[in-house]
Amino acid sequence: MDIVYRLLVVLHLIGWAIVLGGTLVNLRTPKIAAGVLHGVLTALVTGILLVGIASAGLAGHEPNTTKVAVKLLVALAVTALVLVGTRRPEKVTTGYLGAIAGLTVTNVAIAVLWR
């Protein structure tokens, strides 16, 4: 199960990388790239699976529930912004994309810096 856990971590990081990269690439012409929605959903689903596997004691270490809750809220905010931007492209501005990128970086920083 440890291999599955590690592969999920890789997929989780790739998902966030897609969100950040796809957002930064489109800052000049504000729009949500097609892959950003897939990236955020990948990050969200793999994050939930990672917490489930770790909480069950199958792999990893016991997760910090407060940290997980904060990361989930940020991930849900990013997901909501991406969904709205995908369905209503006229709402997407440079600031809108900046919010998605900023929240994505915040989520990664929480993962790395919060012990």
Side-chain angles (χ1 to χ4, degrees), residues 1-11 50 53 58-60:
M1 189 54 93
D2 196 46
I3 289 278
V4 172
Y5 185 83
R6 290 173 189 261
L7 287 174
L8 285 173
V9 170
V10 170
L11 285 173
L50 286 167
I53 290 171
L58 299 174

Side-chain angles (χ1 to χ4, degrees), residues 62-82:
E62 187 66 28
N64 177 343
T65 53
T66 306
K67 175 181 173 180
V68 169
V70 171
K71 283 183 54 60
L72 179 61
L73 286 174
V74 173
L76 288 173
V78 173
T79 304
L81 287 171
V82 170

Side-chain angles (χ1 to χ4, degrees), residues 49-109:
L49 290 173
L50 286 167
V51 171
I53 290 171
S55 294
L58 299 174
H61 58 281
E62 187 66 28
N64 177 343
T65 53
T66 306
K67 175 181 173 180
V68 169
V70 171
K71 283 183 54 60
L72 179 61
L73 286 174
V74 173
L76 288 173
V78 173
T79 304
L81 287 171
V82 170
L83 281 172
V84 169
T86 301
R87 293 184 179 167
R88 310 245 346 236
E90 70 276 1
K91 292 204 174 259
V92 179
T93 62
T94 302
Y96 194 91
L97 292 177
I100 293 172
L103 286 171
T104 301
V105 170
T106 299
N107 212 7
V108 172

Side-chain angles (χ1 to χ4, degrees), residues 20-54:
L20 185 59
T23 302
L24 293 177
V25 163
N26 287 313
L27 278 175
R28 286 191 183 189
T29 57
K31 65 179 181 176
I32 303 287
V36 172
L37 178 61
H38 300 290
V40 77
L41 293 176
T42 298
L44 188 62
V45 170
T46 55
I48 291 168
L49 290 173
L50 286 167
V51 171
I53 290 171

